[in-house]
Amino acid sequence: MSHNQESGGRRLDRRRFLTTAAVGGATIVGASALGGLDAEAAFADPMPSLDAAIPTAFAEGRIVAINRNVLDVAGSHGERNLIQLTNATSIWKLRTTTAEAIEVGDGLYARGAVMPDGTIAADAVWVNIVNVYVTIRGIAKDRLHLTHGNDELVGHIVPDTTTASYLGGALTADLSRTRIGQEAQVLGAWRPADGAIDIARVSLGH
């Protein structure tokens, strides 16, 4: 069982790992600073543990089983982790939610502390979070058609959730300034069933 981010002797750059997240199941990632649970916090710079005697552990991967409040997670590099959810665990799945929203097949990134039995007691879990740089190829009332590398994606606009930021400005629910051909950063939650994204935020002109 592994709780670190070493891969092939090379320490992963967590920020780079996040910003190159692949959509479609290969890699579902997240990260956090201690404290907030919103999507923005998931991509903040890592911060040290509040208690140096308790090292912070991170895990990512796909959920292969759920036993009560323990998530059995298969990591992207062959590692396996058991993630213990507690009453204090904060959970994000497009928005702040509860453990009942987590399903087998979801991807996650979890942060917590390693227990004596090897499980990770999570203080925060991000489910299906993705952060991708895309080009807008089509605009409909309820979705954006996107390309990410050679992949075509559908980004669903979620009422009361999806926001936009233009030129670094404040977040707004007004997406009317999006244009075909624009480069954008999309933060959201991947849908395992069809590979689409529910958009939490689209940033343009940054």
Side-chain angles (χ1 to χ4, degrees), residues 15 29 60-61 66 73 103 154 174 181 186 196 202:
R15 175 172 287 277
V29 294
E60 61 79 27
I66 301 175
V73 177
E103 302 175 276
V154 173
D174 179 11
V186 170
V202 55

Side-chain angles (χ1 to χ4, degrees), residues 19-184:
T19 56
T20 57
V23 177
T27 308
I28 303 298
V29 294
S32 71
L34 295 175
L37 185 70
D38 62 12
E40 191 70 36
F43 295 95
D45 286 324
M47 294 178 65
S49 171
L50 294 174
D51 185 344
I54 303 176
T56 303
F58 299 92
E60 61 79 27
R62 296 286 295 274
I63 300 169
V64 295
I66 301 175
N67 184 8
R68 295 180 180 273
N69 289 321
V70 178
L71 310 179
D72 187 347
V73 177
S76 298
H77 304 287
E79 71 275 25
R80 202 70 171 258
N81 288 290
L82 296 176
I83 309 297
Q84 174 71 58
L85 305 179
T86 73
N87 291 336
T89 303
S90 298
I91 299 170
W92 183 95
K93 190 176 182 180
L94 188 62
R95 58 181 70 86
T96 302
T97 186
T98 63
E100 285 72 25
I102 300 175
E103 302 175 276
V104 171
D106 284 341
L108 65 70
Y109 192 97
R111 179 197 62 204
V114 180
M115 297 291 100
D117 64 358
T119 62
I120 296 176
D123 72 308
V125 171
W126 288 267
V127 180
N128 292 340
I129 191 167
V130 292
N131 178 25
V132 290
Y133 290 88
V134 300
T135 302
I136 298 174
R137 295 302 187 191
I139 301 173
K141 181 178 180 180
D142 60 350
R143 64 193 182 279
L144 300 177
H145 293 274
L146 313 166
T147 56
H148 173 63
N150 295 322
D151 298 322
E152 295 185 2
L153 303 170
V154 173
H156 292 278
I157 298 167
V158 183
D160 301 322
T161 298
T162 301
T163 59
S165 173
Y166 302 97
L167 299 172
L171 295 175
T172 173
D174 179 11
L175 273 66
S176 65
R177 294 164 59 190
T178 57
R179 298 288 183 269
I180 293 174
Q182 283 180 311
E183 305 292 324

